[in-house]
Amino acid sequence: TRCQPAREPAQAGQRGRPPLIFVISGPGGVGKGTLVARLVDRVGQLWLSRSWTTRPRRPGEPADAYVFVDPETFMAEADSGGFLEWAKFLGNMYGTPMPAPPPGHDVILEIDVQGAEQVLAARPDAVVVLVLAPSPEVQEERLRSRGETEPALAQRVSIGEAEVRAAQGLARHVVINDDLERATQELVGIVESYRTGLPSNCSDA
Ligand code: 5GP
């Protein structure tokens, strides 16, 4: 039947199928980063892309959260075609290097909605997942707790609302991060469903 899973999930790379691209997007403060880290921990053979940014490193932020570069270095890379997509967000540039996953791995991108749009234009088969906070209050609190200043916080919240509207049309899945463990499981299920070729909304399997 239509919902029959493949007997063996096909592996990405070399002689297998091309790598799947999962784009995890959504406004700041919804917990994308935490969810993605847990996803990569739980599911094997996922390769998390590391973006470049011109944003200064936040206090306490790991040095490898991004490749932190100055605007000249960033633009030189963009001009030489080094990015799959790049976008300006709150005055800083963010870009995804051309993905180079090891054989057998699928790709995870954690990027903003403008980036998701560009990835879909280049790779229409990419799977966009929109992550949302359970409420604006929770989202604001998360932004505040990571040391965002009040003006930047207000800006991020209002940009977030526009992002959600734009993302509704792009996303194949929407995950509400109401409970971290539940949301992680949902994301794991989405990734696994594409690996087996079984749509996760397949009810008669
Ligand atoms: P932050 O400054 O909070 O780390 O990131 C701001 C926004 O930029 C977030 O929505 C984050 O997902 C997004 N972002 C991070 N890396 C990239 C990237 O390579 N490209 C795009 N378009 N957005 C990114």
Side-chain angles (χ1 to χ4, degrees):
T1 68
R2 192 170 55 83
C3 283
Q4 208 65 40
R7 209 170 295 145
E8 291 289 338
Q11 269 218 341
Q14 285 177 355
R15 280 161 301 142
R17 54 164 176 73
L20 300 169
I21 299 184
F22 295 95
V23 180
I24 315 300
S25 204
V30 299
K32 278 174 295 183
T34 308
L35 272 175
V36 163
R38 289 168 66 104
L39 171 70
V40 171
D41 260 8
R42 296 249 181 123
V43 179
Q45 319 266 94
L46 286 181
W47 181 80
L48 178 58
S49 167
R50 189 190 305 164
S51 297
W52 288 34
T53 186
T54 61
R55 168 172 73 65
R57 197 173 142 200
R58 292 192 191 106
E61 188 173 39
D64 63 355
Y66 286 99
V67 177
F68 294 96
V69 295
D70 57 51
E72 292 68 35
T73 310
F74 188 98
M75 286 319 296
E77 187 67 14
D79 290 343
S80 70
F83 294 130
L84 171 63
E85 64 75 34
W86 66 273
K88 202 167 183 180
F89 183 91
L90 276 179
N92 293 301
M93 267 99 72
Y94 296 80
T96 304
M98 287 299 172
H105 286 61
D106 294 311
V107 174
I108 305 287
L109 308 179
E110 187 214 313
I111 60 177
D112 82 336
V113 175
Q114 308 170 71
E117 217 161 345
Q118 292 181 52
V119 171
L120 270 182
R123 296 285 307 263
D125 57 331
V127 178
V128 177
V129 179
L130 174 63
V131 180
L132 298 177
S135 72
E137 291 75 26
V138 170
Q139 184 193 353
E140 253 186 75
E141 200 35 55
R142 286 202 187 122
L143 284 172
R144 196 168 280 123
S145 70
R146 77 177 181 205
E148 208 71 72
T149 61
E150 289 300 318
L153 191 140
Q155 241 180 334
R156 281 187 185 250
V157 169
S158 82
I159 285 176
E161 288 162 3
E163 281 199 294
V164 171
R165 279 193 299 277
Q168 302 285 2
L170 309 174
R172 283 206 229 173
H173 303 270
V174 178
V175 172
I176 312 284
N177 191 11
D178 46 3
D179 173 88
L180 187 55
E181 180 52 28
R182 193 209 60 75
T184 303
Q185 285 301 337
E186 189 177 350
L187 202 52
V188 167
I190 290 168
V191 168
E192 287 177 342
S193 73
Y194 284 90
R195 281 188 166 169
T196 57
L198 182 72
S200 67
N201 58 359
C202 209
S203 51
D204 55 325

